[in-house]
Amino acid sequence: MNIPYTHNKQIWKLLLFIFAAAIAIASLVYTNYLVESLSKSERTKAEVWAMSTKSIMTMPDVDDDFISFIYAVRDSLTLPAIITDKEGNIIFWRDLDSTKTNIKSDDSLNSRLQYDPGYFQKELQAMKRAHDPITLNLENGEQWKIYYKESKALQNLRVFPYIQLSLIALFLVIAYSVFNSIKKAEQNLVWVGMAKEAAHQLGTPISSLMGWIEVIKLKYNSDDDVIHEMERDVNRLETVADRFSKIGSKPVLTNHNVYEVIQDFVNYFKIRTSEKISFILKGDTHVEAMLNVPLFEWIIENLLKNAVNAIDKEGTITISIKENIAKEEIFIDISDTGKGIPKANFDTIFQPGFTTRQRGWGLGLSLTKRMVQYHNGHIFVKESEIGKGTTFRIVLKSNLNYEPAQI
C-alpha cells in the first residue's frame, strides 16, 4: 500500500506527460500542415518558372516588353532547379553554386556550358529523390524535365518542430526538477518540525518514567532483571527521542567497533522478539568505523524489524560482518529466512511510500538508506529468493574522514 502523497505524485507526473505529449502532437500536426502548404506553393513556383523559361527559349520574336515581363516573372522565382533534355543531359540550371562552372550560364540552348559534372550530378540526383519532375513538351518535339530543390525556408521549417520539441522538453525537465525540489524542501521542513515536536512531547513522560524506576529501585531489589529491562526500555525511549530531536542537524561521527555496537543492539532486540526467531551474529570482531551510534542502531533496528516481519512463524536472522582490507570497506549482511522480495522491487523498496504491509507507511527503508548515506555508505538488496529469504548489504568505509552531512 502506497501513502496518498506517492499516488498524487504519480498522477501529477502522468498529467505532465500528457500535457507534453499534447504540445508535441499539436506542434507536429501544425508544422506538417505548413510544410505541405509551402511545398505545394514551391511546386507551383517551379512550374511557373519552367513555363516562363520555355517561353523565353521558344518565343524569340515576341515583343520586347513581353519578353521583359517573362524575364521578370522567371527571375522572381528563386528555387534551386535543373532542366534536362529527354536523354538526361543538363541544359540549364539556376540558384546553384556558380563557382562550379567555367563560363556564365545563359539562356541559349545551343551553348554547351562547361561545369563540374560531379557537383551537378549530385545535385540532380538529390532533386530527383526529393520531387517528381515537371515535364514540358516543346513545339519542336523536344522534351524537358525540370527538377527542383526545396527552399532554405522549407528545409528549416521541417527541422523547426524538433528544435521546438527539444526546447519544450528542456523546459519541462527544468520545471519538473524545480517543482520536485520545492516539494522535497517543503516535505523535509514538515518532517523536521514533526520530528522535533515529537521529541519534545516525549521528553516529559520519559523523564517521569526514569524517576518512577528510581523509586522502584529504592523499594525493591535493584538487581532484579525485570527492573533492569524496564530501565533499558526507558533508556531506549530516550535514545529514540534524542534521534528525533537531532533531525535537521549534523550527525556527529566517532570511531566505534562495529561488531560491538551491533552485538549490543541485537542483545536488546532479540529478547523482545518471538523465541521462534533465532539471531546469529558472526564475522570480523575487530573492524572499526566512524559511526553515530543512535543513528546506526536505527539502521540495524529497521532492517531487523523488516526481517522479523518477513518471517512467517519461525526462522533465522543472520548478521555477518566482513572487512575488505584492500578497499578499506566493511560489508554488513543482514539475512533472513522470510518470504523474499521480487527482483523487480529491489530498487523501489527504498522509495518513500513503498510497502507491502497493510498498515505500513513505507518510510522505514527510505530512512534507512538515508541514514546509511549519512555514514558515507550505501545499502542495497544483495540477493533475494521468493520463499527462501533476503539479504541486505550495508557498505561502510572502515576509515571515514569526511564532512558530516545534514539529516
Side-chain angles (χ1 to χ4, degrees):
M1 179 181 70
N2 289 343
I3 59 176
Y5 168 73
T6 303
H7 180 67
N8 291 337
K9 187 177 179 182
Q10 295 300 325
I11 293 176
W12 183 84
K13 287 181 180 178
L14 179 62
L15 291 175
L16 184 64
F17 175 78
I18 293 172
F19 174 70
I23 293 177
I25 292 170
S27 177
L28 288 173
V29 169
Y30 183 66
T31 304
N32 185 64
Y33 165 75
L34 293 178
V35 166
E36 291 298 323
S37 299
L38 188 55
S39 181
K40 289 179 182 178
S41 175
E42 289 193 348
R43 185 167 184 88
T44 301
K45 289 181 179 181
E47 291 173 348
V48 172
W49 175 78
M51 293 299 296
S52 61
T53 302
K54 175 186 175 183
S55 299
I56 293 170
M57 298 299 183
T58 58
M59 295 188 296
D61 298 329
V62 178
D63 181 75
D64 288 342
D65 291 336
F66 182 72
I67 289 292
S68 298
F69 171 73
I70 296 297
Y71 268 103
V73 171
R74 188 197 68 174
D75 293 339
S76 67
L77 304 170
T78 56
L79 283 176
I82 291 176
I83 298 178
T84 67
D85 58 22
K86 58 185 176 181
E87 285 80 24
N89 299 313
I90 298 174
I91 58 177
F92 191 79
W93 63 85
R94 71 171 296 121
D95 291 328
L96 294 176
D97 189 351
S98 60
T99 62
K100 302 295 183 179
T101 61
N102 291 335
I103 61 175
K104 187 177 180 182
S105 170
D106 60 29
D107 295 322
S108 173
L109 291 176
N110 296 321
S111 64
R112 291 304 176 192
L113 301 178
Q114 299 176 6
Y115 56 87
D116 180 353
Y119 166 74
F120 283 94
Q121 284 299 324
K122 182 179 177 181
E123 292 294 317
L124 179 59
Q125 293 305 317
M127 292 178 185
K128 285 181 177 180
R129 289 191 298 269
H131 302 284
D132 293 331
I134 299 169
T135 302
L136 289 180
N137 295 308
L138 306 184
E139 293 178 359
N140 59 5
E142 287 192 49
Q143 187 182 72
W144 288 357
K145 287 190 175 180
I146 293 86
Y147 301 91
Y148 67 97
K149 190 163 63 173
E150 292 178 345
S151 65
K152 288 290 183 183
L154 183 53
Q155 292 174 18
N156 292 336
L157 187 58
R158 290 188 186 277
V159 177
F160 174 73
Y162 300 101
I163 297 174
Q164 186 182 34
L165 291 178
S166 299
L167 292 174
I168 292 172
L170 179 62
F171 172 78
L172 290 174
V173 168
I174 293 173
Y176 175 80
S177 299
V178 171
F179 181 82
N180 226 21
S181 298
I182 293 172
K183 293 294 289 183
K184 284 183 178 179
E186 290 176 351
Q187 292 161 24
N188 287 339
L189 287 174
V190 171
W191 283 113
V192 169
M194 288 177 63
K196 289 185 178 294
E197 179 62 22
H200 178 72
Q201 294 293 335
L202 286 171
T204 302
I206 289 173
S207 298
S208 297
L209 286 172
M210 293 176 71
W212 285 114
I213 287 175
E214 291 301 320
V215 172
I216 293 172
K217 282 183 180 180
L218 293 174
K219 290 188 175 183
Y220 303 97
N221 183 6
S222 60
D223 293 330
D224 190 283
D225 289 340
V226 174
I227 296 176
H228 178 67
E229 291 303 324
M230 287 176 61
E231 189 173 23
R232 290 191 68 180
D233 281 337
V234 172
N235 289 335
R236 186 70 187 164
L237 283 173
E238 189 176 25
T239 299
V240 171
D242 184 61
R243 289 174 184 169
F244 283 104
S245 68
K246 290 180 179 178
I247 288 179
S249 308
K250 289 184 178 180
V252 179
L253 304 179
T254 53
N255 191 58
H256 290 275
N257 182 296
V258 176
Y259 188 95
E260 291 177 359
V261 172
I262 294 177
Q263 184 181 48
D264 184 60
F265 181 78
V266 170
N267 290 337
Y268 168 81
F269 185 82
K270 67 182 180 181
I271 63 174
R272 289 159 177 81
T273 309
S274 171
E275 294 180 354
K276 294 182 180 180
I277 298 176
S278 58
F279 291 81
I280 299 173
L281 176 61
K282 62 181 183 178
D284 297 335
T285 60
H286 64 280
V287 294
E288 295 183 347
M290 299 293 287
L291 304 176
N292 181 290
V293 174
L295 290 183
F296 186 71
E297 286 182 345
W298 200 353
I299 294 169
I300 303 302
E301 179 182 359
N302 285 340
L303 292 174
L304 292 183
K305 283 182 177 179
N306 271 3
V308 169
N309 291 328
I311 296 172
D312 187 18
K313 294 181 179 178
E314 57 181 330
T316 303
I317 298 173
T318 304
I319 303 103
S320 176
I321 303 170
K322 183 179 179 181
E323 184 176 28
N324 186 329
I325 298 176
K327 294 185 177 180
E328 295 185 347
E329 290 179 334
I330 301 170
F331 299 147
I332 304 169
D333 292 342
I334 298 179
S335 307
D336 64 64
T337 56
K339 56 188 177 182
I341 301 170
K343 193 170 183 179
N345 292 341
F346 278 16
D347 292 326
T348 53
I349 59 173
F350 292 104
Q351 295 178 1
F354 181 90
T355 181
T356 56
R357 298 170 60 192
Q358 290 298 319
R359 296 183 180 180
W361 285 88
L363 297 176
L365 286 176
S366 174
L367 287 171
T368 300
K369 181 178 180 179
R370 199 165 181 181
M371 287 184 289
V372 171
Q373 291 171 346
Y374 298 152
H375 289 84
N376 201 29
H378 59 279
I379 182 173
F380 57 93
V381 180
K382 181 185 176 186
E383 57 187 1
S384 184
E385 189 174 346
I386 301 299
K388 292 190 176 181
T390 301
T391 298
F392 284 91
R393 168 165 284 187
I394 300 171
V395 182
L396 299 176
K397 287 291 183 181
S398 56
N399 291 306
L400 284 173
N401 182 18
Y402 74 105
E403 185 69 21
Q406 262 203 356
I407 297 180

